[in-house]
Amino acid sequence: MRLSVPLFQKSCPEIEVSSELLTSEDNAPNNLLSHKYDIVISLRELKHPDIVSMPFAREELMLSVPAQDPLAAEKQICLHDHQTRKIAVYSIDGAYERRISPFMNWLRTLPSVTFYTDYFVFQQLLNHKNVLTFTTRLVRQYRNDGGNRVVIPLTDEGISAVYWFSFLRENKKRAAPFIDWQRQNATPLLGLE
């Protein structure tokens, strides 16, 4: 989870941290058991007697609309009921996007949806056009889609996920600063607000 390392480093600059993005979670338990990593953040609970896994952050896709758009008055939306609306999607091949791939694949079938992989082009579009887009609970903490926008929860199936923080039981002391940091930030990360 890309957001966690820079936020942790900002809060705890005295602790040296390195990170690696993995394209698959398949080897996550073995990476801990072999001591390759001290901590793994993944979208699944790692079930092994020597591994401790705890919920770390909840992620959820939301719709971001210009404040003057008629949808801005809605409290929640099922996108399946609004298939003709033009939507710009910034797409990166991350773990969360792979997790919600059935929903993303459905979006790709809609002629009203355009996917962007160039963040600069995507950001310019948001700044200069009244376009609908997506954001997530966690992305909202570091990406600004511009002022005068309203974020609306989606009720569609398959758009949320929980990130799990895992470490070896024997390394609890080594993981303690990260555990403490996560507990201090549990409200925005776990969505308890």
Side-chain angles (χ1 to χ4, degrees):
M1 178 181 157
R2 295 176 186 160
L3 169 68
S4 59
V5 173
L7 290 177
F8 175 75
Q9 286 179 316
K10 186 177 179 182
S11 294
C12 304
E14 71 283 1
I15 299 175
E16 186 177 325
V17 177
S18 62
S19 65
E20 182 178 342
L21 291 176
L22 304 175
T23 56
S24 170
E25 297 180 332
D26 293 342
N27 288 328
N30 291 336
N31 287 333
L32 285 173
L33 293 167
S34 70
H35 298 276
K36 182 175 181 179
Y37 303 117
D38 293 323
I39 296 168
V40 170
I41 297 173
S42 63
L43 283 169
R44 65 183 173 112
E45 181 179 10
L46 303 183
K47 296 184 179 183
H48 187 281
D50 297 330
I51 296 175
V52 175
S53 285
M54 53 184 27
F56 172 69
R58 184 174 57 84
E59 185 64 296
E60 182 178 5
L61 195 65
M62 299 180 203
L63 193 64
S64 172
V65 304
Q68 69 276 14
D69 191 284
L71 290 178
E74 299 292 328
K75 297 292 181 216
Q76 60 186 18
I77 291 176
C78 177
L79 205 56
H80 282 80
D81 297 334
H82 298 276
Q83 295 182 26
T84 59
R85 294 299 307 265
K86 290 190 182 280
I87 302 173
V89 180
Y90 177 61
S91 177
I92 57 171
D93 184 29
Y96 176 67
E97 190 169 323
R98 285 191 300 275
R99 171 60 60 97
I100 65 167
S101 61
F103 181 80
M104 298 302 277
N105 290 338
W106 170 74
L107 285 177
R108 284 182 172 84
T109 68
L110 302 178
S112 59
V113 177
T114 305
F115 282 80
Y116 295 86
T117 56
D118 184 319
Y119 184 71
F120 178 77
V121 171
F122 171 76
Q123 196 65 48
Q124 292 301 310
L125 181 70
L126 291 186
N127 289 338
H128 300 296
K129 294 198 176 189
N130 289 331
V131 64
L132 278 58
T133 190
F134 294 111
T135 190
T136 69
R137 290 187 59 266
L138 299 173
V139 166
R140 291 180 63 200
Q141 294 188 35
Y142 64 88
R143 184 183 92 191
N144 183 348
D145 288 349
N148 212 21
R149 295 188 73 81
V150 175
V151 176
I152 307 165
L154 293 170
T155 60
D156 299 86
E157 294 292 321
I159 58 166
S160 64
V162 172
Y163 285 95
W164 292 82
F165 165 70
S166 302
F167 56 93
L168 286 177
R169 195 172 302 283
E170 67 189 54
N171 286 346
K172 184 172 184 173
K173 193 172 188 177
R174 191 161 168 83
F178 200 83
I179 295 169
D180 292 343
W181 174 80
Q182 187 274 342
R183 285 187 178 138
Q184 291 169 7
N185 292 281
T187 295
L189 291 174
L190 286 173
L192 304 173
E193 65 271 53

